Amino acid sequence: MINVGDIVANYMAVWNENDPVERRRRIRSVWAPDGATCNRMIDARGYEAIEARVIGSWEKWLSEGRFLFRPKAVAQHHGVVKFDWMMTKVPGGEVEASGVSFLILNPDGRIGYDYQFNPTANDAADLAERYVALWNEADSEARLRRVGELFAADGAYVSQSSTAEGHAGIEAEAAAAREAYGAKGLRFWSAGFSQAHHRVAQFQWRMRPAEGGRDAAAGSDLVILDEEGRIRFDYQFEEAAQIAEDEASVAIFRRSV
Protein backbone atom coordinates (compact mmCIF):
# COMPACT_ATOMS: atom_id res chain seq x y z
CA MET A 1 0.00 0.00 0.00
CA ILE A 2 1.52 3.30 -1.12
CA ASN A 3 1.37 6.09 1.45
CA VAL A 4 1.09 9.26 -0.63
CA GLY A 5 1.72 11.52 2.33
CA ASP A 6 5.03 9.79 2.98
CA ILE A 7 6.00 9.97 -0.69
CA VAL A 8 5.47 13.74 -0.82
CA ALA A 9 7.16 14.29 2.55
CA ASN A 10 10.21 12.26 1.47
CA TYR A 11 10.29 14.08 -1.86
CA MET A 12 10.32 17.49 -0.19
CA ALA A 13 12.97 16.29 2.28
CA VAL A 14 15.31 15.63 -0.66
CA TRP A 15 15.18 19.28 -1.75
CA ASN A 16 15.59 20.55 1.83
CA GLU A 17 18.48 18.21 2.79
CA ASN A 18 21.81 19.92 3.48
CA ASP A 19 23.95 16.84 4.19
CA PRO A 20 25.46 15.44 0.93
CA VAL A 21 25.53 11.81 2.08
CA GLU A 22 21.96 11.89 3.40
CA ARG A 23 20.80 13.73 0.28
CA ARG A 24 22.24 11.01 -1.91
CA ARG A 25 20.56 8.32 0.18
CA ARG A 26 17.23 10.11 0.05
CA ILE A 27 17.38 10.48 -3.74
CA ARG A 28 17.93 6.74 -4.16
CA SER A 29 15.02 5.93 -1.88
CA VAL A 30 12.63 8.38 -3.56
CA TRP A 31 13.44 7.96 -7.28
CA ALA A 32 13.73 4.81 -9.41
CA PRO A 33 17.23 4.28 -10.90
CA ASP A 34 16.04 5.52 -14.30
CA GLY A 35 13.81 8.21 -12.82
CA ALA A 36 13.80 11.86 -13.86
CA THR A 37 13.00 15.35 -12.64
CA CYS A 38 12.01 17.86 -15.31
CA ASN A 39 11.08 21.51 -15.49
CA ARG A 40 10.96 23.92 -18.41
CA MET A 41 14.75 24.21 -18.59
CA ILE A 42 16.04 20.92 -17.17
CA ASP A 43 15.59 17.21 -17.87
CA ALA A 44 17.66 15.37 -15.25
CA ARG A 45 17.58 11.58 -15.62
CA GLY A 46 19.30 9.04 -13.41
CA TYR A 47 20.66 9.44 -9.90
CA GLU A 48 23.73 11.51 -10.77
CA ALA A 49 21.77 13.99 -12.85
CA ILE A 50 19.00 14.24 -10.25
CA GLU A 51 21.56 14.83 -7.52
CA ALA A 52 23.21 17.59 -9.55
CA ARG A 53 19.82 19.21 -10.11
CA VAL A 54 18.93 19.05 -6.41
CA ILE A 55 22.34 20.41 -5.36
CA GLY A 56 21.95 23.32 -7.78
CA SER A 57 18.55 24.16 -6.31
CA TRP A 58 19.79 23.87 -2.73
CA GLU A 59 22.85 26.04 -3.36
CA LYS A 60 20.76 28.71 -5.06
CA TRP A 61 17.87 28.89 -2.61
CA LEU A 62 18.51 27.08 0.68
CA SER A 63 22.25 27.22 1.41
CA GLU A 64 21.95 30.37 3.55
CA GLY A 65 19.19 28.86 5.69
CA ARG A 66 16.63 31.51 4.72
CA PHE A 67 14.08 29.26 2.98
CA LEU A 68 12.44 25.84 3.11
CA PHE A 69 10.28 23.97 0.60
CA ARG A 70 6.86 22.82 1.83
CA PRO A 71 4.02 20.92 0.11
CA LYS A 72 0.30 21.60 0.13
CA ALA A 73 -2.90 20.40 -1.58
CA VAL A 74 -1.84 16.81 -2.28
CA ALA A 75 -4.03 14.64 -4.54
CA GLN A 76 -3.43 11.30 -6.25
CA HIS A 77 -5.02 8.61 -8.37
CA HIS A 78 -3.87 5.87 -10.76
CA GLY A 79 -0.22 6.16 -9.75
CA VAL A 80 0.02 9.92 -10.32
CA VAL A 81 0.49 12.38 -7.46
CA LYS A 82 -0.24 16.09 -7.86
CA PHE A 83 0.66 18.72 -5.29
CA ASP A 84 1.45 22.39 -4.98
CA TRP A 85 4.62 23.43 -3.20
CA MET A 86 5.85 26.63 -1.61
CA MET A 87 9.25 28.07 -0.80
CA THR A 88 8.73 29.77 2.54
CA LYS A 89 10.87 32.16 4.56
CA VAL A 90 12.68 31.04 7.73
CA PRO A 91 11.56 32.21 10.20
CA GLY A 92 8.05 33.46 9.61
CA GLY A 93 6.78 31.12 6.90
CA GLU A 94 5.89 33.81 4.35
CA VAL A 95 5.66 32.40 0.82
CA GLU A 96 8.53 33.52 -1.42
CA ALA A 97 7.78 31.31 -4.45
CA SER A 98 5.48 28.47 -5.46
CA GLY A 99 5.04 25.76 -8.05
CA VAL A 100 3.16 22.59 -8.90
CA SER A 101 4.55 19.09 -9.38
CA PHE A 102 3.17 15.85 -10.79
CA LEU A 103 4.89 12.61 -9.78
CA ILE A 104 4.36 9.53 -11.89
CA LEU A 105 5.09 6.55 -9.66
CA ASN A 106 6.48 3.13 -10.44
CA PRO A 107 4.69 0.09 -8.96
CA ASP A 108 7.14 0.10 -6.03
CA GLY A 109 6.13 3.66 -5.12
CA ARG A 110 9.33 5.32 -6.32
CA ILE A 111 9.24 8.20 -8.78
CA GLY A 112 9.60 7.44 -12.47
CA TYR A 113 8.95 11.03 -13.59
CA ASP A 114 8.76 14.28 -11.67
CA TYR A 115 7.27 17.08 -13.77
CA GLN A 116 7.51 20.56 -12.28
CA PHE A 117 5.51 23.56 -13.54
CA ASN A 118 5.30 27.28 -12.93
CA PRO A 119 1.68 28.00 -11.86
CA THR A 120 1.83 31.58 -13.19
CA ALA A 121 2.79 30.56 -16.74
CA ASN A 122 0.33 30.42 -19.61
CA ASP A 123 2.33 29.15 -22.59
CA ALA A 124 0.02 26.22 -23.44
CA ALA A 125 -3.16 28.29 -23.73
CA ASP A 126 -4.04 26.97 -27.19
CA LEU A 127 -4.02 23.36 -25.97
CA ALA A 128 -6.06 24.30 -22.90
CA GLU A 129 -8.67 26.15 -24.97
CA ARG A 130 -9.03 23.26 -27.42
CA TYR A 131 -9.36 20.85 -24.51
CA VAL A 132 -12.19 22.74 -22.79
CA ALA A 133 -13.90 23.18 -26.17
CA LEU A 134 -14.07 19.39 -26.45
CA TRP A 135 -15.93 19.08 -23.14
CA ASN A 136 -18.28 21.92 -24.08
CA GLU A 137 -19.13 20.54 -27.54
CA ALA A 138 -22.83 19.66 -27.89
CA ASP A 139 -22.73 17.99 -31.33
CA SER A 140 -21.64 14.35 -31.20
CA GLU A 141 -19.91 14.35 -34.60
CA ALA A 142 -18.05 17.56 -33.86
CA ARG A 143 -17.15 16.23 -30.42
CA LEU A 144 -15.67 13.05 -31.87
CA ARG A 145 -13.72 15.14 -34.38
CA ARG A 146 -12.32 17.24 -31.54
CA VAL A 147 -11.32 14.06 -29.69
CA GLY A 148 -9.46 12.85 -32.80
CA GLU A 149 -7.64 16.16 -33.12
CA LEU A 150 -6.57 16.20 -29.47
CA PHE A 151 -5.96 12.55 -28.58
CA ALA A 152 -3.80 9.82 -30.07
CA ALA A 153 -5.74 6.81 -31.38
CA ASP A 154 -4.79 4.82 -28.28
CA GLY A 155 -5.08 7.80 -25.95
CA ALA A 156 -6.65 7.53 -22.51
CA TYR A 157 -8.58 9.85 -20.22
CA VAL A 158 -8.11 9.02 -16.53
CA SER A 159 -10.00 10.69 -13.68
CA GLN A 160 -10.34 9.77 -10.03
CA SER A 161 -13.44 7.68 -10.75
CA SER A 162 -13.19 6.51 -14.35
CA THR A 163 -10.96 5.62 -17.28
CA ALA A 164 -11.83 5.91 -20.97
CA GLU A 165 -9.63 4.63 -23.79
CA GLY A 166 -9.62 5.30 -27.53
CA HIS A 167 -11.49 8.00 -29.41
CA ALA A 168 -14.93 6.40 -29.06
CA GLY A 169 -14.50 5.80 -25.33
CA ILE A 170 -13.29 9.33 -24.66
CA GLU A 171 -16.11 10.83 -26.74
CA ALA A 172 -18.65 8.79 -24.76
CA GLU A 173 -17.14 10.03 -21.49
CA ALA A 174 -17.30 13.63 -22.69
CA ALA A 175 -20.89 13.17 -23.88
CA ALA A 176 -22.02 11.79 -20.51
CA ALA A 177 -20.27 14.56 -18.62
CA ARG A 178 -21.73 17.29 -20.81
CA GLU A 179 -25.24 15.89 -20.45
CA ALA A 180 -24.86 16.04 -16.67
CA TYR A 181 -23.43 19.52 -16.25
CA GLY A 182 -25.00 21.03 -19.39
CA ALA A 183 -28.44 20.33 -17.94
CA LYS A 184 -27.49 22.71 -15.12
CA GLY A 185 -26.38 25.44 -17.52
CA LEU A 186 -22.70 24.93 -16.74
CA ARG A 187 -19.69 24.83 -19.03
CA PHE A 188 -15.91 24.48 -18.81
CA TRP A 189 -13.67 27.55 -18.89
CA SER A 190 -9.90 27.66 -19.10
CA ALA A 191 -8.44 29.09 -15.88
CA GLY A 192 -5.57 30.78 -17.75
CA PHE A 193 -2.64 28.95 -16.12
CA SER A 194 -0.91 26.47 -18.39
CA GLN A 195 2.58 25.30 -19.23
CA ALA A 196 4.16 22.71 -21.53
CA HIS A 197 7.64 21.18 -21.63
CA HIS A 198 9.27 17.85 -22.50
CA ARG A 199 6.10 16.55 -24.21
CA VAL A 200 3.91 17.11 -21.15
CA ALA A 201 1.55 19.93 -20.28
CA GLN A 202 -0.57 21.03 -17.36
CA PHE A 203 -3.50 23.39 -17.33
CA GLN A 204 -6.27 24.41 -14.98
CA TRP A 205 -9.97 24.80 -15.64
CA ARG A 206 -13.12 26.03 -13.95
CA MET A 207 -16.76 25.09 -14.35
CA ARG A 208 -19.27 27.90 -14.08
CA PRO A 209 -22.56 29.03 -15.64
CA ALA A 210 -22.50 29.63 -19.40
CA GLU A 211 -23.25 33.31 -18.84
CA GLY A 212 -20.31 33.58 -16.45
CA GLY A 213 -20.36 33.86 -12.69
CA ARG A 214 -19.12 31.94 -9.70
CA ASP A 215 -17.26 28.64 -9.97
CA ALA A 216 -19.24 25.45 -9.38
CA ALA A 217 -16.21 23.16 -9.77
CA ALA A 218 -12.52 23.38 -10.58
CA GLY A 219 -9.66 21.12 -11.58
CA SER A 220 -6.43 20.61 -13.43
CA ASP A 221 -5.00 18.13 -15.92
CA LEU A 222 -1.62 16.60 -16.65
CA VAL A 223 -1.44 15.49 -20.27
CA ILE A 224 1.36 13.39 -21.70
CA LEU A 225 1.84 14.00 -25.41
CA ASP A 226 3.11 11.83 -28.25
CA GLU A 227 5.66 12.96 -30.83
CA GLU A 228 2.90 14.57 -32.89
CA GLY A 229 1.65 16.59 -29.94
CA ARG A 230 -1.49 14.55 -29.36
CA ILE A 231 -2.55 13.34 -25.93
CA ARG A 232 -1.49 9.82 -24.92
CA PHE A 233 -2.60 10.11 -21.30
CA ASP A 234 -4.83 12.71 -19.69
CA TYR A 235 -4.87 12.66 -15.89
CA GLN A 236 -7.61 14.88 -14.49
CA PHE A 237 -7.65 16.13 -10.90
CA GLU A 238 -10.59 17.80 -9.23
CA GLU A 239 -9.99 20.69 -6.86
CA ALA A 240 -12.16 22.59 -4.43
CA ALA A 241 -14.08 25.30 -6.25
CA GLN A 242 -13.48 28.78 -4.96
CA ILE A 243 -17.21 29.23 -4.50
CA ALA A 244 -19.64 26.32 -4.93
CA GLU A 245 -22.70 28.00 -6.42
CA ASP A 246 -24.73 24.84 -6.97
CA GLU A 247 -23.84 21.87 -4.78
CA ALA A 248 -26.14 19.56 -6.70
CA SER A 249 -24.45 20.31 -10.01
CA VAL A 250 -21.03 19.73 -8.48
CA ALA A 251 -22.16 16.29 -7.27
CA ILE A 252 -23.48 15.40 -10.72
CA PHE A 253 -20.24 16.51 -12.35
CA ARG A 254 -18.16 14.41 -9.97
CA ARG A 255 -20.21 11.30 -10.65
CA SER A 256 -19.97 11.80 -14.40
CA VAL A 257 -16.23 12.37 -14.79
Side-chain angles (χ1 to χ4, degrees):
M1 196 72 173
I2 295 174
N3 187 314
V4 176
D6 287 347
I7 289 171
V8 173
N10 292 334
Y11 172 88
M12 298 307 301
V14 168
W15 300 91
N16 288 324
E17 183 57 62
N18 63 357
D19 179 77
V21 175
E22 182 64 10
R23 180 192 295 127
R24 189 171 299 116
R25 185 198 66 78
R26 288 185 183 277
I27 287 171
R28 282 156 176 75
S29 69
V30 169
W31 271 270
D34 58 350
T37 179
C38 306
N39 63 20
R40 184 176 64 87
M41 302 295 293
I42 295 171
D43 182 0
R45 296 176 182 270
Y47 289 146
E48 290 186 4
I50 293 170
E51 184 176 2
R53 162 78 177 102
V54 174
I55 290 172
S57 171
W58 186 87
E59 290 179 343
K60 181 176 182 179
W61 301 111
L62 273 60
S63 60
E64 296 180 359
R66 297 172 53 231
F67 302 109
L68 279 176
F69 291 114
R70 302 181 186 277
K72 67 173 185 176
V74 178
Q76 68 86 25
H77 65 79
H78 294 88
V80 179
V81 180
K82 182 244 179 190
F83 62 96
D84 299 330
W85 53 263
M86 306 171 292
M87 188 175 75
T88 60
K89 292 182 179 180
V90 178
E94 297 87 356
V95 177
E96 181 73 11
S98 63
V100 60
S101 290
F102 291 86
L103 310 179
I104 299 180
L105 305 179
N106 285 357
D108 66 358
R110 288 191 291 178
I111 298 170
Y113 293 93
D114 162 29
Y115 294 114
Q116 302 173 354
F117 297 94
N118 179 348
T120 65
N122 195 31
D123 61 19
D126 177 67
L127 175 62
E129 292 292 346
R130 290 191 294 126
Y131 183 86
V132 299
L134 159 64
W135 294 89
N136 289 327
E137 182 58 65
D139 181 78
S140 59
E141 292 185 4
R143 186 167 51 240
L144 185 59
R145 183 175 65 252
R146 289 185 184 275
V147 170
E149 292 170 350
L150 275 169
F151 284 82
D154 58 350
Y157 162 82
V158 186
S159 73
Q160 179 75 39
S161 58
S162 64
T163 299
E165 298 179 348
H167 291 172
I170 296 168
E171 189 278 329
E173 187 78 18
R178 190 188 185 285
E179 181 178 356
Y181 64 75
K184 297 293 183 178
L186 300 173
R187 64 183 285 123
F188 278 106
W189 303 78
S190 172
F193 300 114
S194 65
Q195 190 172 41
H197 62 75
H198 296 95
R199 293 221 301 260
V200 296
Q202 77 88 26
F203 46 82
Q204 300 177 19
W205 49 264
R206 298 287 182 264
M207 184 180 290
R208 58 174 65 122
E211 300 80 14
R214 296 176 176 178
D215 293 345
S220 61
D221 287 69
L222 172 72
V223 296
I224 300 174
L225 308 173
D226 65 14
E227 293 181 356
E228 298 178 352
R230 293 186 299 174
I231 299 171
R232 282 279 291 112
F233 295 98
D234 169 20
Y235 295 98
Q236 186 177 93
F237 291 84
E238 295 177 44
E239 300 168 0
Q242 293 176 343
I243 301 175
E245 175 145 306
D246 186 341
E247 292 294 336
S249 64
V250 173
I252 290 173
F253 167 70
R254 287 176 175 169
R255 288 197 299 271
S256 67
V257 301

